[in-house]
Amino acid sequence: LILLCLLAGMMFFGKRFIDTDYFKVQEVLVEGQSKLLKQDIVTQLEQMKGKNIVYLNTDEIEKRIKADVRVKKVSITKQFPSKILFNIEERQPYAYVRKGENLFLADNELNIYGDKIEDLPKSMPIIDYTDEASFEGIKTIVSRIKNKDLYSMISEIRKTPKCYEILLVNGVVFKTDTDVTEEKYNDAYKAYDQIIRKEGPLTYIELRYKIIYKK
């Protein structure tokens, strides 16, 4: 009985201590790269000041932050007694996605997260969206182009009735499909570089079969 009374007393006074101003949020820190995103997020999170840090549901807060399509990842750390740290990773522009007459920003997984006007112009490929099925195919293709030199030369990726096409800035076309491997893209770039150096301009390189080029 004595032990139960002591436990109850500890819980009662512990609860009263937790409910004091000592555990009210005094400082909200947000770390991230984008000033605009940080500003938008901070405006929302400032409302946490004065609330009890113990009772804040970080899972619910994280879900609310991730509702912003610009946010890729977020981690929340409670620094007792009165500080919360948010580390927010923003989606980085990797390509433009063209839907009709509109251009949208997309990250390296082709997740669309904003209009083109939200960011400064960048030399990035344009992904031509025709339908969801072909767009999923282009996602697969983009995920396998790891060669940065090759990627920097791409002006457009599109779906045609017969295959997918990777259009380079100089007009050369790589004819490809979703089963083309990362290794084959690397080999194709090497072959392309050698052909340009030794034999001059060409029209296209076929990746769906063995590598064949036409002048």
Side-chain angles (χ1 to χ4, degrees):
L1 183 60
I2 293 174
L3 288 175
L4 288 174
C5 290
L6 287 172
L7 181 59
M10 291 173 63
M11 292 176 64
F12 174 76
F13 287 108
K15 177 72 166 57
R16 293 198 64 178
F17 175 59
I18 290 174
D19 289 339
T20 62
D21 291 347
Y22 185 69
F23 289 99
K24 287 186 177 180
V25 176
Q26 302 294 328
E27 191 173 4
V28 177
L29 301 176
V30 180
E31 295 181 353
Q33 296 179 343
S34 170
K35 292 182 179 179
L36 178 60
L37 179 59
K38 283 174 65 176
Q39 182 179 345
D40 293 345
I41 295 295
V42 168
T43 301
Q44 300 177 38
L45 300 182
E46 284 291 320
Q47 301 174 8
M48 294 183 185
K49 287 187 176 180
K51 295 184 178 180
N52 193 299
I53 193 173
V54 177
Y55 303 129
L56 286 176
N57 187 330
T58 54
D59 290 337
E60 184 180 322
I61 297 169
E62 180 179 324
K63 184 178 180 180
R64 190 163 68 240
I65 294 174
K66 283 185 175 179
D68 189 318
V69 293
R70 295 171 295 177
V71 176
K72 185 175 183 179
K73 293 180 182 178
V74 58
S75 63
I76 304 173
T77 306
K78 290 182 179 181
Q79 297 183 344
F80 290 95
S82 59
K83 185 187 296 185
I84 300 182
L85 174 64
F86 294 85
N87 193 301
I88 299 173
E89 182 180 343
E90 183 186 13
R91 298 187 188 279
Q92 297 300 312
Y94 195 72
Y96 294 121
V97 175
R98 179 168 58 204
K99 287 187 173 185
E101 297 181 354
N102 299 317
L103 277 181
F104 300 93
L105 292 171
D107 64 8
N108 62 338
E109 296 177 343
L110 297 191
N111 294 303
I112 297 173
Y113 67 92
D115 295 331
K116 179 181 181 294
I117 57 173
E118 291 183 4
D119 204 357
L120 295 175
K122 287 182 172 62
S123 178
M124 299 186 301
I126 294 176
I127 308 301
D128 197 11
Y129 180 99
T130 53
D131 54 60
E132 195 60 32
S134 63
F135 189 58
E136 290 298 320
I138 293 177
K139 284 184 179 181
T140 300
I141 292 169
V142 170
S143 71
R144 293 175 182 169
I145 303 176
K146 304 296 186 183
N147 188 306
K148 293 182 179 179
D149 291 328
L150 173 58
Y151 189 80
S152 67
M153 297 168 58
I154 299 174
S155 66
E156 186 176 346
I157 303 176
R158 61 200 180 196
K159 178 72 170 68
T160 69
K162 294 184 178 181
C163 66
Y164 292 89
E165 292 185 344
I166 299 173
L167 179 65
L168 304 187
V169 292
N170 61 2
V172 176
V173 175
F174 282 22
K175 295 180 181 291
T176 187
D177 216 328
T178 55
D179 58 355
V180 175
T181 64
E182 176 185 341
E183 182 181 4
K184 199 165 187 179
Y185 284 114
N186 291 334
D187 292 341
Y189 174 74
K190 294 175 184 177
Y192 163 83
D193 190 52
Q194 292 176 2
I195 294 167
I196 292 295
R197 290 174 183 273
K198 294 180 181 179
E199 301 184 33
L202 66 152
T203 304
Y204 73 87
I205 293 180
E206 175 62 76
L207 300 183
R208 292 173 295 169
Y209 317 108
K210 65 181 182 178
I211 296 179
I212 301 173
Y213 69 92
K214 286 191 176 182
K215 296 187 68 177

